[in-house]
Amino acid sequence: MLEDLVRQHQQDLLDGGRTVPIALGLHNPAAHIERAEREVLDRLLPQLGELIGPAARLIDLGPFAGLRTAQVLMALERPKAIVLMNREIDPRIFDTLTAIDSTAEISLAPASASPSSWDLPAIGSGTSLALIAGGGFGFLSRAERRNLIAGAVQTLKSDDFLLLTIELAQDAAVAEAAYQDFGLHLVRTCLTRLGKSHGLEPRIFHEAASQQVQFGAVAQKEASIQWHDAGCLFSPGDWLAMGAAQQFTAETLSLEFAEFDVHETWHASDGRADVVLLKKK
């Protein structure tokens, strides 16, 4: 899958494209979001089983599917299924889940599943809980977020839940400082996977109008990316976009999830992130 993604975007560069998906360099959540999420989960997980009820189906999706699966699973009462929706899932996740004494059946989403149409089997008599961990929702593009929400609306029934971590809107200087190391690593990983680059300088900046931290590389001079017997050239000042981290307010989150009500919100002590439990209307 990764090799196919690389080849696709190498061709896009040859065709004049100057946008690379963040997935090409995205490995782990940003450290400040992971810390905030871990702190909040320590507080909320003892309550989660009561909120969700017995015999639930856990659907773990998003860029970091598998990151919190075991923790959330252990908080549920007699869960019936875990569905992992991520083609690049680390196989070690299965070892971790198998080692847990649980009633849940572990499975990968079928090949027909997509962000906009999950197409999952109806397993279990209880509530479904969809999980998007690590602030992964904010790393999706607007179109990807719309598709994921469409899949949630189709798949989840009334009174089913969706648990996600969101990064809250921050001052530009604070946001840029928080993402500095993460963003440099992400951009360099993207460039390395595309080929041998020359003259492209990583950049991370906060865009106030969209409340996003943007990642990419700028050509400081005549620049290039070369692979095998092909490559593309960049003029000075050209920008190669590599995605963004979207920050949210309560209002912007409600607009995106119009088919859901906010059931409960837990705040990280540093004020940088919320873990939100949404309930399908």
Side-chain angles (χ1 to χ4, degrees):
M1 287 285 291
L2 178 60
E3 292 78 6
D4 293 341
L5 189 64
V6 169
R7 283 194 293 269
Q8 174 190 336
H9 289 284
Q10 286 172 336
Q11 185 59 53
D12 287 347
L13 290 174
L14 291 175
D15 294 339
R18 291 296 180 264
T19 300
V20 173
I22 198 169
L24 204 59
L26 196 60
H27 289 296
N28 299 299
H32 65 290
I33 299 300
E34 187 171 16
R35 282 194 303 269
E37 180 179 74
R38 193 163 52 236
E39 177 237 314
V40 174
L41 288 179
D42 285 344
R43 288 189 275 118
L44 80 86
L45 284 180
Q47 310 170 43
L48 194 64
E50 289 184 24
L51 288 169
I52 304 304
R57 173 177 64 166
L58 176 61
I59 307 167
D60 196 349
L61 66 156
F64 308 122
L67 177 70
R68 304 294 186 202
T69 317
Q71 287 173 274
V72 174
L73 180 67
M74 291 174 68
L76 300 178
E77 181 186 350
R78 294 180 284 107
K80 291 302 182 186
I82 313 159
V83 183
L84 297 167
M85 291 183 64
N86 187 335
R87 298 287 170 229
E88 302 296 327
I89 198 80
D90 186 332
R92 288 174 295 182
I93 295 297
F94 291 96
D95 296 334
T96 302
L97 295 174
T98 303
I100 297 173
D101 183 15
S102 173
T103 57
E105 174 189 338
I106 307 165
S107 64
L108 275 174
S112 55
S114 70
S116 59
S117 180
W118 297 3
D119 193 25
L120 304 180
I123 302 172
S125 57
T127 301
S128 287
L129 170 65
L131 171 65
I132 308 173
F137 185 70
F139 286 115
L140 302 176
S141 68
R142 183 180 294 274
E144 288 170 332
R145 295 199 305 272
R146 280 199 301 263
N147 283 338
L148 187 147
I149 293 167
V153 169
Q154 283 185 15
T155 304
L156 300 179
K157 307 183 300 296
S158 179
D159 295 334
D160 281 346
F161 291 96
L162 193 155
L163 183 71
L164 76 159
T165 301
I166 58 166
E167 182 176 16
L168 301 176
Q170 301 285 327
D171 174 79
V174 173
E176 289 173 5
Y179 275 106
Q180 189 66 21
D181 290 343
F182 172 90
L184 290 174
H185 183 266
L186 184 148
V187 173
R188 287 167 180 157
T189 299
C190 286
L191 291 174
T192 299
R193 286 179 167 167
L194 288 169
K196 187 175 181 178
S197 63
H198 176 73
L200 288 166
E201 186 73 21
R203 287 283 187 274
I204 299 97
F205 65 92
H206 182 268
E207 187 177 77
S210 62
Q211 287 298 317
Q212 291 180 339
V213 178
Q214 299 277 347
F215 309 108
V218 64
Q220 296 287 77
K221 52 186 179 180
E222 293 289 339
S224 64
I225 302 178
Q226 304 288 332
W227 60 91
H228 305 307
D229 57 349
C232 64
L233 300 176
F234 299 83
S235 299
D238 281 355
W239 171 251
L240 180 59
M242 297 179 185
Q246 179 69 57
Q247 299 175 329
F248 296 90
T249 64
E251 291 74 22
T252 57
L253 185 70
S254 295
L255 287 173
E256 298 222 15
F257 284 95
E259 299 289 334
F260 292 77
D261 289 322
V262 176
H263 186 73
E264 194 153 354
T265 301
W266 296 267
H267 308 290
S269 58
D270 64 5
R272 289 185 170 183
D274 281 351
V275 177
V276 184
L277 185 65
L278 301 169
K279 192 172 187 179
K280 175 84 181 299
K281 293 178 180 177

